[in-house]
Amino acid sequence: MSNYKRVSLNFGQHSAHFGEVGIGVEETSERVRSDTLFSALIVTYARLFGKDAVEDLLKSFDPSPPFRISSTFVYYDDGKNRIDYLPKPLKFPRGYPVGNDLEFAKTYKKIHYLPLDVWQRWYQGNGFTNDDRTELIGYTNKTKTSGSLNNAGIFDYSQTYQIHKTPKVAIDRTTRATNFYHTGFVQFDRSCGLYFLIEFINADQDLENRLHAALNLLGDEGLGGERSSGAGQFEATWSDLSDTWKKLLNCSQPTDYSLISLLWQTPIPDTLHADRASYGILERGGWISSPFSGRQLRRKKVRMFVEGSVFPVRPDGQLADVTPYQFQKLHKIYRSGIAFSLPIILY
């Protein structure tokens, strides 16, 4: 029987750099996707327990994974109330007035993340209501009044963090020539941070303890880029799921499934790209970080389904082998495309 945990990452006063596509290192996201989080965990796991242990762990993902992790998402927690944000599925909720939404369509499209309570109501409960429509119209017309959406925090996502750019200078070791550039950093409000879900497919206390240790080491070293500057350091808190989370995960009679992680699978089953599916695709590349080789190489690029993608069946996903040719004799490099999805009801 699956065992779920919610892991909260508190960055405190530490900024973080989560690289995004852009010019150099100027751009940063406010969160980390599941493949990056998985890779960071595997690297620290290898440092703690050695090459044989991490190879055994990776082998255990075939034919089915021992655990799944979601991407990270923003949370707000002032000690009294907690808001966990989730990606809005790429399908309209039940009750949404398709074709009759001109008065609030721009506002709806700008909302990419939903508070947990709103997500559960729209995609597992009563769906979109007339009160929701009225409130979105009011927000669009800048005559915002209090309502269930506002009280849940649906319009407050952008206030949980700030992104700033720090000027830096690089000095060439040979010519001493200087190069001026900017690096983007995200700074979370003191009541905010990131969280992710982890599902242990079978009870395995030893594996859970090892992942605890790996995550603690990762918190000391930092998540993301610019770690040599102290960026990305965090404290991790593991907790059981709230009643709302348990109800959400145990939704009965779902019609579809929405990703809260990236997904890669080959070959792609016909059921995943059926007419009812709605998805986005993102190319993932980057550099290899290996504790055993000391070499810096680019890994192979893969294209993955993004969070919020909706499929008519529960997707599984796989580890993608992204080992570059020059690395073949050292060890394999994997990117996680293991799916973590939530059940939804669309009709």
Side-chain angles (χ1 to χ4, degrees):
M1 182 177 180
S2 294
N3 178 31
Y4 293 92
K5 296 290 184 181
R6 181 181 62 189
V7 184
S8 302
L9 311 180
N10 182 1
F11 291 85
Q13 298 299 312
H14 296 284
S15 297
H17 174 78
F18 305 135
E20 282 290 321
V21 176
I23 302 174
V25 290
E26 288 189 11
E27 302 300 325
T28 182
S29 174
E30 77 277 11
R31 64 184 189 86
V32 173
R33 299 184 189 270
S34 57
D35 61 337
T36 299
L37 177 61
F38 181 87
S39 296
L41 274 173
I42 291 298
V43 169
T44 53
Y45 189 98
R47 287 176 179 161
L48 280 174
F49 304 111
K51 186 176 181 179
D52 291 342
V54 76
E55 288 181 349
D56 289 342
L57 176 62
L58 291 172
K59 288 178 182 177
S60 69
F61 278 81
D62 186 18
S64 60
F67 68 91
R68 302 174 187 269
I69 59 173
S70 73
S71 295
T72 63
F73 303 104
V74 172
Y75 75 83
Y76 166 83
D77 188 355
D78 62 1
K80 297 180 181 178
N81 299 304
R82 170 155 178 148
I83 302 173
D84 290 335
Y85 287 92
L86 281 171
K88 184 177 69 176
L90 299 179
K91 285 279 194 179
F92 292 121
R94 287 183 298 169
Y96 185 88
V98 179
N100 189 29
D101 60 353
L102 292 179
E103 294 176 291
F104 64 88
K106 288 185 178 179
T107 297
Y108 179 87
K109 290 179 180 178
K110 289 179 181 178
I111 298 173
H112 300 294
Y113 298 94
L114 302 176
L116 181 63
D117 290 342
V118 175
W119 194 101
Q120 195 277 333
R121 177 166 65 83
W122 278 7
Y123 289 97
Q124 291 184 348
N126 297 327
F128 193 90
T129 65
N130 286 330
D131 288 341
D132 296 332
R133 181 178 185 276
T134 300
E135 193 170 352
L136 288 176
I137 292 174
Y139 190 85
T140 302
N141 296 332
K142 299 182 179 179
T143 58
K144 181 176 63 174
T145 58
S146 61
S148 61
L149 297 182
N150 182 68
N151 294 338
I154 196 172
F155 305 117
D156 299 332
Y157 182 83
S158 62
Q159 300 176 24
T160 60
Y161 65 91
Q162 292 182 343
I163 290 179
H164 61 274
K165 294 181 179 180
T166 300
K168 293 193 174 186
V169 176
I171 302 176
D172 189 279
R173 294 182 179 180
T174 304
T175 66
R176 310 302 295 173
T178 58
N179 180 37
F180 181 79
Y181 65 100
H182 287 85
T183 301
F185 290 94
V186 57
Q187 179 74 57
F188 293 98
D189 182 84
R190 64 180 181 179
S191 301
C192 304
L194 297 177
Y195 80 94
F196 66 92
L197 298 186
I198 182 167
E199 176 191 7
F200 293 97
I201 310 303
N202 297 301
D204 189 338
Q205 191 60 50
D206 181 61
L207 174 60
E208 187 172 340
N209 291 339
R210 287 183 171 226
L211 291 178
H212 264 277
L215 191 63
N216 288 338
L217 176 59
L218 180 60
D220 292 337
E221 294 186 343
L223 179 61
E226 300 296 316
R227 295 188 298 274
S228 61
S229 302
Q233 296 180 6
F234 61 84
E235 291 185 4
T237 303
W238 296 60
S239 61
D240 294 326
L241 299 184
S242 65
D243 290 340
T244 302
W245 267 115
K246 291 177 181 178
K247 182 179 179 182
L248 188 151
L249 288 165
N250 294 317
C251 172
S252 60
Q253 299 181 330
T255 63
D256 297 85
Y257 295 86
S258 181
L259 287 178
I260 58 170
S261 71
L262 296 182
L263 165 66
W264 183 88
Q265 191 166 338
T266 186
I268 300 174
D270 292 339
T271 51
L272 286 190
H273 53 78
D275 292 340
R276 209 167 79 229
S278 182
Y279 52 82
I281 295 177
L282 182 69
E283 187 173 76
R284 303 294 284 167
W287 293 86
I288 292 171
S289 176
S290 170
F292 306 119
S293 69
R295 300 182 64 184
Q296 287 288 318
L297 292 172
R298 282 195 175 276
R299 59 178 177 267
K300 292 180 181 179
K301 294 181 179 180
V302 291
R303 293 166 65 83
M304 296 186 173
F305 295 103
V306 300
E307 303 95 337
S309 296
V310 175
F311 302 102
V313 297
R314 186 188 295 274
D316 294 319
Q318 297 171 296
L319 294 181
D321 187 343
V322 294
T323 311
Y325 174 77
Q326 303 94 318
F327 233 77
Q328 293 290 340
K329 295 182 179 180
L330 295 173
H331 59 79
K332 293 287 187 180
I333 304 295
Y334 294 100
R335 206 71 184 165
S336 177
I338 303 295
F340 199 128
S341 61
L342 300 178
I344 59 177
I345 302 174
L346 295 179
Y347 55 87

